[in-house]
Amino acid sequence: MKSLDMMLAAIQPPDWAAMDAARAHQTRLAKPPGSLGRLEDLSVQLAGITGQVHNRMDKKHLLVFASDNGVVAEGVSSAPQSVTLQQTLNLTRAKTGAAVLARHFGCRITVCDVGVNADIRDAAVVGRKIARGTQNIACGPAMSREQALTAIATGFTLAAETDADVLGIGEMGIGNTTTSSAVLAALLPADVEAVTGRGGGITDESFEKKKAAIRRAIAVNQPDRQDPVDVLSKVGGFDLAAMCGAFLGSAATRRPVVIDGFISAVAALCACRLAPLTRAYLVPSHASYEIGYRLAMDAMDLQPMLLLGMRLGEGSGCPLAFQVLEGACAIINDMATFEQAGIDDGYLDEIRQGDQFTVPGRG
């Protein structure tokens, strides 16, 4: 596997010239300036990623990393750990929310076991198990630094070797909103109350146990916020580390990569802390219902595209975001220019000199 330094060195800046060319082409399309909002921004971002003004998102692929987390011993989840195994298998059988959406929209899905606490003999699951779950972060490090680096490299390699125009990154693992909250609290840093939600739904008693476990994990392990690998190894999970690597691998191979919800956003933040250039390749999907999501997105200066009240995880927001990306490509590829539409755009000269669209108090 590649060393971390080699992985990070492979990530290059976006193609600024291609982005300028995409913006110039957008100004020639037969529409009021900026009237298609984020779709225009996305087409420019895609140009910077691929180096081409005109792009297609024909091959869409969701990568889901599955792992168990030892912190469930603290009573932080309503679901038993066995759900990780069953849902890992169900993802490959189009029985989960993310898998149903992926199939509906013609998106391929790969499920990778990096640490499920069970033997999986199903050939549909890619086996890259590092260990049978992590250790309990409330008592000590989740994993060794070497294991964290292995997980990052695993995600990087899988993403880099996946044949796709666009990738999405999801997860499956009971207890991983606890580890994600711990990682986010350590990285920012932020108060545990500000980053910890109820995940899949828990009682008030379990919610207090969850926050207490995160506080103990940070106190016991003292993760170094300047070293994302240290943070992941001490209070993270194999799934989070592999997802971080997948974001890096997508960027290194110059493909757009979609962030799902809270857990995916925390993994993306880890990737950005390791390689800031990764941000140029990230496409947020939906605004997660989880309380820490906004802080993670603010830390990357990103805004979600969709407001759907979702909090499922698994990568469920990615197939929806892929459709928006396809729409952005369709506009810049197929929409007529003023010249092609037979319209003299001289009437827009004055409007183009400034913001003629925002109503005071509304923008």
Side-chain angles (χ1 to χ4, degrees):
M1 291 186 178
K2 292 179 181 291
S3 70
L4 181 62
D5 288 342
M6 291 176 64
M7 289 186 275
L8 303 185
I11 301 171
Q12 299 299 307
D15 188 323
W16 305 112
M19 294 176 75
D20 288 341
R23 290 189 189 96
H25 186 75
Q26 284 284 357
T27 66
R28 294 192 293 271
L29 297 181
K31 58 179 173 57
S35 58
L36 284 172
R38 291 288 292 276
L39 293 178
E40 298 185 25
D41 297 337
L42 286 168
S43 71
V44 172
Q45 181 184 4
L46 290 174
I49 291 171
T50 68
Q52 303 173 21
V53 171
H54 300 288
N55 293 285
R56 297 183 64 88
M57 298 289 112
D58 295 331
K59 293 183 288 186
K60 305 171 286 289
H61 207 117
L62 174 60
L63 302 180
V64 181
F65 296 91
S67 179
D68 277 307
N69 300 278
V71 72
V72 296
E74 299 297 317
V76 300
S77 176
S78 60
Q81 192 174 75
S82 59
V83 172
T84 300
L85 170 61
Q86 194 56 54
Q87 288 295 78
T88 297
L89 296 172
N90 286 335
L91 275 158
T92 70
R93 299 166 183 169
K95 290 184 176 182
T96 76
V100 165
L101 289 169
R103 183 176 64 176
H104 178 76
F105 289 115
C107 163
R108 295 189 64 187
I109 183 170
T110 295
V111 182
C112 180
D113 168 21
V114 287
V116 178
N117 187 20
D119 293 326
I120 298 179
R121 297 181 176 86
D122 193 315
V125 177
V126 176
R128 299 289 186 272
K129 196 189 301 289
I130 297 165
R132 291 173 63 108
T134 56
Q135 300 300 307
N136 184 352
I137 61 173
C139 302
M143 67 193 84
S144 69
R145 185 179 183 88
E146 181 180 358
Q147 287 177 317
L149 289 170
T150 298
I152 292 171
T154 298
F156 183 100
T157 301
L158 185 59
E161 294 180 350
T162 298
D163 180 22
D165 299 315
V166 58
L167 294 164
I169 309 301
E171 41 62 41
M172 174 49 61
I174 300 303
N176 60 10
T177 60
T178 301
T179 53
S180 298
S181 296
V183 168
L184 185 59
L187 281 179
L188 291 182
D191 187 81
V192 171
E193 294 280 350
V195 299
T196 309
R198 292 179 180 260
I202 49 178
T203 64
D204 290 344
E205 181 183 1
S206 293
F207 190 36
E208 293 306 315
K209 289 180 179 179
K210 182 176 184 176
K211 290 182 286 186
I214 295 170
R215 291 190 189 96
R216 287 202 305 276
I218 292 173
V220 167
N221 291 294
Q222 293 292 302
D224 180 1
R225 65 180 295 257
Q226 303 300 327
D227 181 359
V229 178
D230 186 69
V231 174
L232 284 167
S233 67
K234 288 180 176 176
V235 298
F238 294 134
D239 48 358
L240 271 171
M243 293 164 75
C244 169
F247 282 113
L248 296 172
S250 302
T253 51
R254 303 194 73 90
R255 269 93 53 80
V257 58
V258 174
I259 300 170
D260 180 35
F262 173 58
I263 298 163
S264 188
V266 172
L269 177 60
C270 291
C272 287
R273 290 292 175 87
L274 286 169
L277 289 174
T278 303
R279 183 191 174 279
Y281 299 84
L282 301 177
V283 178
S285 57
H286 66 287
S288 170
Y289 194 80
E290 278 290 295
I291 186 174
Y293 174 83
R294 174 50 54 193
L295 291 177
M297 297 301 283
D298 286 348
M300 294 182 284
D301 192 24
L302 293 173
Q303 293 288 335
M305 295 188 294
L306 305 171
L307 183 60
L308 299 171
M310 293 172 61
R311 53 185 176 84
L312 174 64
E314 301 178 8
S316 53
C318 299
L320 301 172
F322 293 158
Q323 306 313 300
V324 179
L325 284 170
E326 286 196 282
C329 291
I331 290 297
I332 199 167
N333 291 344
D334 303 329
M335 190 172 177
T337 64
F338 284 104
E339 181 180 4
Q340 291 167 338
I343 300 173
D344 180 353
D345 64 340
Y347 73 95
L348 288 172
D349 289 346
E350 185 176 354
I351 291 176
R352 285 170 172 154
Q353 299 306 310
D355 183 357
Q356 303 294 322
F357 306 98
T358 302
V359 176
R362 300 286 184 180

